[in-house]
Amino acid sequence: ERDAHSKELRKALAEQQTNEAQEAIRKIEVLLRDGGKRDSRVDWSKLIEHTNYPEPKPSAPTPQTISSEPLRMAFPPNLNWLTRLLTPIREKRMAEAEQRFQAAHAAWRVARAEGEKANAEQAQEYNRQIAQWEAAKASWLKDQEERNAAIDNKRAAYLRCKQSAVVEYCEMVLNASDYPETFPSGFELDYIAETRMLVLDYSLPAI
């Protein structure tokens, strides 16, 4: 029974290895079939970055609302026809109304000062964040511009058949090829600018 189980395991392993080998062969066949049809030229325009600065602009804070200044007419004395006739009571009620108004007005002045201070601090912090964001954006755009300029320079050098630019271009094309793991490859190349001859030594696995 143990031998039968071991035999089944070996059989399953052999089938797995066979399937893997067949899949590797299929990938190589596809590579050889489609390799000559693929346009591997470098599209310089796709190397140019056109993306916007990715960090969102800080949102402006919502200022604290400061209530309207209380008016004296909103604190009338509690008078009726009788208390209007009695001077001491009338004056007392009017003094009480004035005290209520003054207390409300003092509380409003404190709240206004605190609100204005908080709004000023919020505005100061927002301005700091905006300045920091603008500086980071300018630096990012400058780096992007420099990278794009470098690509334009490489393209111009390649079109002038500059030796280093041609070699780098060919390396980009060859390195962009997608090979299966079972298809190891390597290359060495050089470009002779005087004769415009590309020398390529490409290592392929034995078939």
Side-chain angles (χ1 to χ4, degrees), residues 101-114:
F101 167 71
Q102 292 297 338
H105 199 272
W108 173 80
R109 290 198 300 272
V110 171
R112 181 185 64 178
E114 292 177 348

Side-chain angles (χ1 to χ4, degrees), residues 165-206:
V166 173
V167 169
E168 183 177 359
Y169 176 91
C170 294
E171 288 178 345
M172 290 171 59
V173 172
L174 293 173
N175 287 325
S177 300
D178 185 18
Y179 298 107
E181 294 181 359
T182 56
F183 196 86
S185 62
F187 63 87
E188 292 182 3
L189 61 87
D190 194 10
Y191 177 70
I192 304 173
E194 292 76 10
T195 59
R196 294 193 175 184
M197 179 180 294
L198 181 68
V199 180
L200 175 61
D201 183 6
Y202 208 106
S203 302
L204 298 175

Side-chain angles (χ1 to χ4, degrees), residues 2-16:
R2 184 181 303 174
D3 292 340
H5 179 67
S6 177
K7 183 178 180 181
E8 289 296 326
L9 290 177
R10 289 196 301 271
K11 180 179 178 182
L13 178 60
E15 290 179 353
Q16 179 183 350

